[in-house]
Amino acid sequence: MVSDLAKRIIANVETAIVGKRKQLVLSLVTWLSGGHVLLEDVPGVAKTMLARALARSVGCKFKRVQCTPDLLPTDVTGTSIFNQKTSEFEFRPGPVFTQILLADEINRATPRTQASLLEAMAEARVTVDGTTHKLEPPFIVIATQNPVDHEGTFPLPEAQLDRFMMRFTLGYPTMEEELRMLEMLQHVHPVDTIKPVAKASEIAAAQIAIKRVHVDPRLRQYLLQIVAQTRTHEDLALGGSPRASIALFRCSQAMAAIRGRSYVLPDDLKKIIAPVMNHRVILRPESRLRKVTTERVLDQIVNEIAVPTIDAS
């Protein structure tokens, strides 16, 4: 069921987004795992288009917040307005009350506004004026940030980065992919022609289904060994938290389900280690000076740990 759903969505999105199969799969894995995505890349590489295409493919509610320094928390969560006719306060929901929320250039918002998303991301609910409002499932935040322009920005603290299940880049297209993109854009924007091929209820059902995917005890031990190694590695000042272990566990289940299996293989785990872990570990200053990257450290850790043999049965 999950595999068929993923194939429909991926094929539909690829009618508008060219050459981003890997990132699209990672986005689906995150959504089905109940997590959130941070896209870190330069402007103009289809970050917003990817979010819009996903929303249109599933027929989900989609809202976009353009983050700026003057954006207030109430501009995101909503506020209570006094109605003179009824002499009562009425709650006006903000853009967070949707199913897919695109927080564009999230690092341009102030820390106070960034923090207004924490409750929604962690618990799928929002508290305003002492009243808690539940968000409509399946809820996901897709945030973007520009890694090359830091003037007037507020970097996300480690505690908030940890709330994002995955962080990855889209990258530039090849010349062939860019040529195809120009051909597609000649008459009308292809995202505007996307029709729903799935329902939000199917995503919600898939989120429940992936929890039944079997993870062998040996693979769980392998997963925990990787996270534990990040906590003691000489190049890392901060390793993965228990939330990182949970994210790896849940994402590996989703990856296996998307690939049409009811059990997780080591390869499923390896595919998601970098996007799940790269923003959850912090390099030591001296390692950064030696041009060491988190990706290189994670590769080294994975290569040093023996991969368990898992039977397909």
Side-chain angles (χ1 to χ4, degrees):
M1 180 192 78
V2 176
S3 177
D4 292 339
L5 175 65
K7 286 177 182 176
R8 294 204 312 269
I9 295 173
I10 290 171
N12 201 46
V13 172
E14 286 188 329
T15 61
I17 307 293
V18 180
K20 305 299 179 188
R21 169 71 64 96
K22 177 184 175 182
Q23 291 85 351
L24 181 52
V25 170
L26 291 176
S27 300
L28 275 178
V29 166
T30 305
W31 199 6
L32 296 181
S33 303
H36 309 281
V37 177
L38 178 61
L39 299 178
E40 188 175 77
D41 219 323
V42 296
V45 292
K47 299 187 296 291
T48 303
M49 293 303 104
L50 179 64
R52 283 184 58 198
L54 267 177
R56 293 181 71 97
S57 293
V58 184
C60 282
K61 297 176 184 176
F62 171 76
K63 290 184 181 177
R64 173 182 177 178
V65 175
Q66 185 64 49
C67 297
T68 55
D70 60 347
L71 187 73
L72 299 175
T74 52
D75 294 331
V76 178
T77 60
T79 188
S80 296
I81 304 295
F82 185 73
N83 188 325
Q84 292 184 339
K85 291 183 179 179
T86 61
S87 298
E88 293 179 347
F89 282 94
E90 294 180 354
F91 177 63
R92 300 285 178 86
V96 74
F97 286 87
T98 185
Q99 290 172 311
I100 297 182
L101 175 67
L102 174 64
D104 217 355
E105 296 187 287
I106 190 172
N107 56 331
R108 293 200 177 278
T110 61
R112 185 181 176 190
T113 302
Q114 292 172 5
S116 67
L117 285 171
L118 288 179
E119 185 183 13
M121 294 171 65
E123 303 171 36
R125 64 183 186 181
V126 174
T127 302
V128 179
D129 295 332
T131 303
T132 299
H133 308 268
K134 290 187 176 181
L135 300 178
E136 186 178 354
F139 176 72
I140 181 174
V141 173
I142 301 178
T144 72
Q145 63 178 7
N146 185 348
V148 295
D149 182 11
H150 298 293
E151 186 176 352
T153 64
F154 303 87
L156 293 173
E158 283 71 24
Q160 191 162 350
L161 279 174
D162 199 40
R163 302 282 180 168
F164 288 96
M165 187 166 276
M166 286 196 189
R167 181 184 74 172
F168 52 86
T169 62
L170 294 183
Y172 288 118
T174 63
M175 287 187 64
E176 292 77 11
E177 291 168 348
E178 202 160 0
L179 178 60
R180 185 181 164 206
M181 179 191 71
L182 294 177
E183 292 171 350
M184 293 165 62
L185 286 167
Q186 185 170 352
H187 301 292
V188 65
H189 202 295
V191 171
D192 296 331
T193 64
I194 290 181
K195 303 296 182 184
V197 294
K199 299 178 181 177
S201 58
E202 291 183 85
I203 295 289
Q207 290 177 335
I208 296 173
I210 69 160
K211 295 178 181 179
R212 296 193 291 267
V213 174
H214 176 68
V215 183
D216 190 277
R218 289 165 294 181
L219 196 55
R220 300 183 191 201
Q221 188 70 25
Y222 176 62
L223 182 157
L224 293 175
Q225 281 181 296
I226 293 172
V227 178
Q229 285 276 55
T230 66
R231 299 168 186 167
T232 58
H233 197 281
E234 60 182 6
D235 286 321
L236 297 178
L238 181 71
S241 67
R243 187 181 285 132
S245 303
I246 296 170
L248 285 173
F249 182 82
R250 196 64 75 202
C251 287
S252 64
Q253 288 179 303
M255 182 65 79
I258 285 177
R259 291 176 165 185
R261 278 184 275 102
S262 60
Y263 55 89
V264 178
L265 292 177
D267 188 54
D268 299 320
L269 183 58
K270 288 182 177 182
K271 289 287 185 184
I272 49 95
I273 286 174
V276 169
M277 294 294 296
N278 62 20
H279 59 294
R280 289 184 160 94
V281 298
I282 299 177
L283 286 170
R284 294 186 185 278
E286 57 270 27
S287 299
R288 193 176 291 109
L289 289 173
R290 289 189 284 109
K291 306 299 182 182
V292 175
T293 63
T294 55
E295 288 78 8
R296 188 194 302 176
V297 173
L298 290 171
D299 284 342
Q300 181 184 347
I301 290 173
V302 171
N303 291 333
E304 288 178 352
I305 300 176
V307 180
T309 303
I310 307 296
D311 298 327
S313 58

